[in-house]
Amino acid sequence: MIDVKNLTKSFGDHQVLKGIDEHIYPGEKVVVIGPSGGGKSTFLRCLNLLETPTGGTVTFHGVDITDPKSDINKHRQKMGMVFQHFNLFPHMTILKNLTLAPVQVLKKPQKEAEEKALTLLERVGLADRADSYPSQLSGGQKQRVAIVRALCMEPEVMLFDEPTSALDPEMVGEVLDVMKDLAREGMTMVVVTHEMGFAREVGDRVLFMAEGKILEEGPPSELFDHPQHPRLQDFLSKVI
Amino acid sequence: MNVDALYESLSALNKADLSLWQNMFMRFYRAWFEADRWKSYFEGLGTTLEVTVLALAFGVVLGVLVAIVRTAHDQQRPGTKNFLLGFVNLICKVYVTIIRGTPMMVQLLIWGFVIFATSRSFTLVGALGLGINSGAYVAEIIRGGLMSLDPGQAEAGRSLGLNYIQTMRFVVIPQAFKAILPSLGNEFIVLLKDTSLISVIAGKEVVYAARAIGARTYDYMFPLIITAIMYLIMVMLFSYLQSILERRLRASDRR
C-alpha cells in the first residue's frame, strides 16, 4: 500500500533519516518505537509529505507522491493523521471541525457530512459534545475527536504521531481503546508511540528506529522478548 | 434665549465688566456660531474621514500584500529558493524599513512638496502618503498574526486534504484575524489621528479648519478644544465598535 524506498531527510546539516526502506501492507498495524530524536515522527510525517523528503521515494497505491507533479492533496485525503497535540481547530465547534474537510474537499452536502460525523462521534462516546468548542473538552476527549476528524474523510490508512504523549496518564486508556477498536475493524495503521503495551497487543509488526535508521523489525513477540540489536536491548531495558 | 441675541447684548457691554463665563461664551460664540464657522469644522471632519477611509483601504491592501509576500518567503521549506519571491521580499523589506525608520511628518512633506510638488489635490496626496505609511505597520501586524499561529493548525488542515488556499481561508486567517484585531484597531486609531498631519501639506481637514478660524479670530483656544473633542468622540465610537466585534469573535474561548 505504502512503499518507502531509500528515504532520507535532512534539516540543514543534520541528517534525521538515513535511508529507510519499508513497505506497509493493507490492513497491517505497524508500530514504530524508539528513542526521542531517532527520526520516528519525521518518518511518519514523510509518509504524507508534511515533511518533504530530501531523497528517496514514497509510493502510495503505485503512485510516487514525492514527485512534485503528483497532487498531494488527493493522496492526503486517503491518509488520516492524528497529532500529538490534537491540532483541533479552536475557532470551530466539534461538529464543524469534523465536517470542514468532507464538505470542502469531498464536496459532501453539509447534512450528509454531519450525519456521518455524529455516527462516528457516537462510537467514541462524544455525541453530546458536538456543539462544544475544543477548549471545553479534556485532552482525552480532544484526541478522540481528532481521530474522528481523520476518520470522517474515510481514509485508507491512519497515521498516529505519538497520540497519547500529551495526555494525562488517566486519559491514555480511553484513546488507546478507540485505536484498538479501529485496529479490530481492519484499518491500516502506522503508529508512533511510547506505549509498549499497545505495541505488543495491537501491532502486527514493530519497527525500532534510532539514529535515523530502522535497526530492527519484527512481530512484537519476537522484538520484545528476544531483542537482537544491542541498541534495542538497551532501549527496552530502560522503558519496560 | 437665542445665542445670537445674547452675544449682541453682551457685545454692547464694556469688556471689563464681563464675568469669566460671559467672556468664555463670547469666545466660544466667535469660534463656533459667528459667520456659521461650525460648518467649516464639519467640512474639515468630512475630509478627515475621507482621508482616513482612503488611507485605510490603501494601507490594508498594501499591508496584506506585503504580509503575504513576507510570510510566504519566511515559511518556505528550508533549502528551497525562489528567486522572484526573494526579490519581491527584498523590496517589501526595504519598504517597511524606510517607512518605519522615518517620521510620518517628513514622509508627508516629501510627498507633498517634493514628489507631488505640482499637484493641487492635497487631500489625495495626503491619503496616499498616509496609506503608504500605514501599509508598512499593517503588514507587520498581519505578518506577526500569521507567524504566531501554531504551525500544527495549518498541518492539520493540510493533512485532511485541504489545499493551501482552503487551509488559509478556513483555518489560518480566521484565527490570525482574531489575534491581530486589537493591534489592527490600534493602528486604525493612530491613522485616524495622523490625518491631522496632512494640514502641513495644505490638506483641508479639521485641524486646518481650526487653525484658519483661530487665525481669523485671534483666539485658538476653542477651535483647538473643539477639534480635540471631535477626535475623541470618533475614537471612542470606534473603540466601542471594536469591542463589540472582539466579544463576538471570543465565542469559541468559552470554557
Side-chain angles (χ1 to χ4, degrees), chain A residues 31 33-34 193-201 206 208 219-227 231-240:
Chain A
V31 180
I33 61 168
T193 188
H194 293 295
E195 296 292 329
M196 297 304 151
F198 176 84
R200 196 186 268 272
E201 186 186 333
V206 178
F208 174 69
S221 53
E222 237 168 77
L223 200 99
F224 286 115
D225 299 331
H226 309 287
R231 188 71 186 81
L232 175 58
Q233 290 166 356
D234 178 54
F235 176 75
L236 288 177
S237 72
K238 279 175 188 154
V239 296
I240 295 180

Side-chain angles (χ1 to χ4, degrees), chain B residues 242-254:
Chain B
Q242 188 190 346
S243 71
I244 291 178
L245 184 58
E246 276 176 33
R247 214 173 312 143
R248 277 201 180 173
L249 290 176
R250 265 204 302 269
S252 60
D253 292 348
R254 297 179 277 155

Side-chain angles (χ1 to χ4, degrees), chain B residues 148-178:
Chain B
S148 72
L149 198 66
D150 175 10
Q153 287 292 313
E155 280 179 2
R158 297 307 299 273
S159 80
L160 288 165
L162 296 167
N163 62 31
Y164 179 77
I165 303 213
Q166 288 170 325
T167 304
M168 288 305 261
R169 177 170 157 211
F170 296 110
V171 179
V172 176
I173 290 174
Q175 293 186 65
F177 181 70
K178 194 169 98 175

